[in-house]
Amino acid sequence: LNGYPKYSLQVTKSFDNILDSDFDFTQVNFKINHQIKRLNAATTSFLLQGGIVFGEVPISHLYNATPNYTYKNPWFNRITFAGKNSFETMAFNEFISDKYVMLQVKHKLFKRLKITKKVNPEITLVSRAAIGDIENPINHTGFTFRKMNKGYFESGIEINKIYKGFGINAFYRYGAYQNTNWSDNLAIKLSYQLNLGF
């Protein structure tokens, strides 16, 4: 259905001693999407998602809040393609949780700007927040990660569909997990949106 809000719930169960499995755990994930269409083709969309895991869980089945950032140097090597709903300023495997919740709010300002015949960007303001925790981090030896129990925040702007589907996005990380160097909080990303006509 095309109506809003949209809900999804997923429950996964792993049994030990079945097909050589070593783990017995239950994972519950949920997602809620909502969208409000406003005047002048403006749209505000909300995404709330989260999950929790019970039992003996391998680190591969814990949560990392969909990060999409790398601390490569020189800095321009950090410019990659943006994800749809990922945290663009969060490093891969920086935070691991056995329970978390994430909220994303996007506001598309208006119809695409007609700058030239071929340059027609679409501007969207984005804010994301997440909080999570892990009960027994010492069970996962050999890995370096942090808890996300103080709350993670980033906001930015997406300038999409500038030319032939390509765009550019910029995000900034702030709050309790802000990095000391301001440049380590900044993420510049390329975007590409393909219109298949349906």
Side-chain angles (χ1 to χ4, degrees), residues 7 10-11 18 33 44-45 54 59 78 80 95 110 120 129 134-135 139 142 151 154 164 172 182 195:
Y7 306 90
Q10 179 186 45
V11 180
I18 296 180
N33 275 294
T44 304
S45 60
F54 306 96
I59 197 168
R78 304 178 189 185
T80 58
F95 300 94
F110 32 64
N120 301 295
I134 183 169
E135 285 190 16
N139 291 348
E154 73 174 24
K164 293 188 175 180
Y172 197 77
W182 73 270
N195 186 357

Side-chain angles (χ1 to χ4, degrees), residues 5-9 29-35 45-51 85 87 100-106 127-131:
K6 296 179 179 179
Y7 306 90
S8 66
L9 178 69
N29 300 316
F30 73 90
K31 184 185 293 186
I32 302 172
N33 275 294
H34 188 52
Q35 189 177 95
S45 60
F46 303 88
L47 171 63
L48 179 68
Q49 68 180 38
N85 298 314
F87 281 85
Y100 88 105
V101 65
M102 182 270 276
L103 174 65
Q104 172 183 270
V105 180
K106 286 189 173 185
S127 282
R128 298 185 180 99
I131 190 166

